[in-house]
């Protein structure tokens, strides 16, 4: 049995005994979990807000089972709030979901609360439990059991390869600038692609001189770039195949490529129905309009929250539609004539596009039924 944190009532820990209220009825229990890499701290509160206890368990399959049994021993388990269901809490969330437990995603306590109450794992776990009890936490965690999760892991690996390739190209560029004069004069006039091709063919066995050592370093950098380029290409092909098989209706939209569609599917998750309306998806993408009206001024501004990767995908799609989509071009011209700024126009387009694409994700066959009229709204 793992070492446990101090309980608010040590006598209540016996896993074989349910805790009864004054009428002899087991209480309704709401749990909260503060997740970490090695341990998870859990707290339980009753439906009356009474703190029932807290404990810590290892972040292992056995620990997940013990955590569930500990919560269930306090009464009828109703709901559990978990921090970080997409990171340290992913394993626990999957284990509790398999047992039929209702889960909600809990955000970290804000700084005002932490400044007033302090910071510890039991305090954060209790705050998560009370958020689940009070209905403050309502977001259903993403499921990670279908094709969208496969798309996510491949896209994450591809994004890392892109970053590594960019770093290698920048290193190659700066090394050419500082290379010995003869080598620099040979490589600097070439295009970036030709520089990589020439550098990959450089040979040097004696590395005692700066010129020969630089040739060896440039060759290794060029080989690294070529390897990462092949990895990125393979990942792109895999993502395209998965998106085409899972959501071909997205690729049929003007300006929506495989990578943009993949990111929007990841943001929606394997269970997009957890969001009750397209407005929820728009908020998740950071495209909901924020009112900044005062007096005679009546306007909205960009939302700087939400999933910024999804917002970037929408921005990329909007750029393409502004160039190739007549309806989008006509709308932009109309709003420009009404003296709207480019930022306001893009905000409205992102909001409309988030609604349209989310409806396509939920109902692939309703593309023709989605009206373009919301373009005229803020």
């Amino acid at each position: 049995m793992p070492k446990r944190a101090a309980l608010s009532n040590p006598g209540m820990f016996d896993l074989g005994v349910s805790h009864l209220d004054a009428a002899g009825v087991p209480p309704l229990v709401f749990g909260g979990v503060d997740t970490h890499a090695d341990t998870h701290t859990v707290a339980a509160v009753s439906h009356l807000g009474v703190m029932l206890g807290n404990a810590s368990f290892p972040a292992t399959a056995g620990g997940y089972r013990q955590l569930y049994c500990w919560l269930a021993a306090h009464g009828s388990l109703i709901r559990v709030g978990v921090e970080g269901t997409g990171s340290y809490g992913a394993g626990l969330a999957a284990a509790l979901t398999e047992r039929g437990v209702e889960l909600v995603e809990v955000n970290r306590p804000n700084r005002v609360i932490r400044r007033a109450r302090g910071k510890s794992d039991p305090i954060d776990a209790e705050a998560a439990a009370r958020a689940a009890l009070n209905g403050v936490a309502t977001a259903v965690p993403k499921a990670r059991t279908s094709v969208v999760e496969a798309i996510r892991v491949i896209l994450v690996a591809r994004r890392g390869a892109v970053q590594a390739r960019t770093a290698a190209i920048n290193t190659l560029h700066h090394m050419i600038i500082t290379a010995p004069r003869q080598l620099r004069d040979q490589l600097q006039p070439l295009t970036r692609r030709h520089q990589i091709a020439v550098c990959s063919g450089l040979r040097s066995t004696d590395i005692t001189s700066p010129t020969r050592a630089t040739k060896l370093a440039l060759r290794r950098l060029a080989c690294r770039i070529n390897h990462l380029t092949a990895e990125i290409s393979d990942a792109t092909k895999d993502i395209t195949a998965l998106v085409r098989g899972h959501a071909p209706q997205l690729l049929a939209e003007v300006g929506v490529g495989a990578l943009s569609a993949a990111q929007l599917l990841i943001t929606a998750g394997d269970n997009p129905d957890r969001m009750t309306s397209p407005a929820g998806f728009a908020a998740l993408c950071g495209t909901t309009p924020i009112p900044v009206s005062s007096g005679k001024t009546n306007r909205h501004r960009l939302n700087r929250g939400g999933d910024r990767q999804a917002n970037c995908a929408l921005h990329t799609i909007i750029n393409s539609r502004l160039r190739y989509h007549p309806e989008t071009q006509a709308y932009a011209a109309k709003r420009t004539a009404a003296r709207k700024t480019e930022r306001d126009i893009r905000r409205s387009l992102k909001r409309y596009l988030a609604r349209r694409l989310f409806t396509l994700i939920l109902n692939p066959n309703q593309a023709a039924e989605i009206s373009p009229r919301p373009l005229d709204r803020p």
Side-chain angles (χ1 to χ4, degrees), residues 302-322:
L302 291 169
N303 185 345
R304 297 179 180 86
D307 186 337
R308 304 317 296 174
Q309 294 292 342
N311 194 281
C312 180
L314 291 174
H315 184 81
T316 302
I317 297 170
I318 290 299
N319 285 341
S320 180
R321 291 169 79 97
L322 284 170

Side-chain angles (χ1 to χ4, degrees), residues 181-201:
R181 183 176 60 81
Q182 184 178 1
L183 190 58
R184 183 177 68 247
D185 292 345
Q186 175 189 353
L187 295 173
Q188 203 163 18
L190 303 177
T191 63
R192 189 60 48 83
R193 181 179 298 179
H194 289 163
Q195 285 177 348
I196 295 171
V198 171
C199 289
S200 63

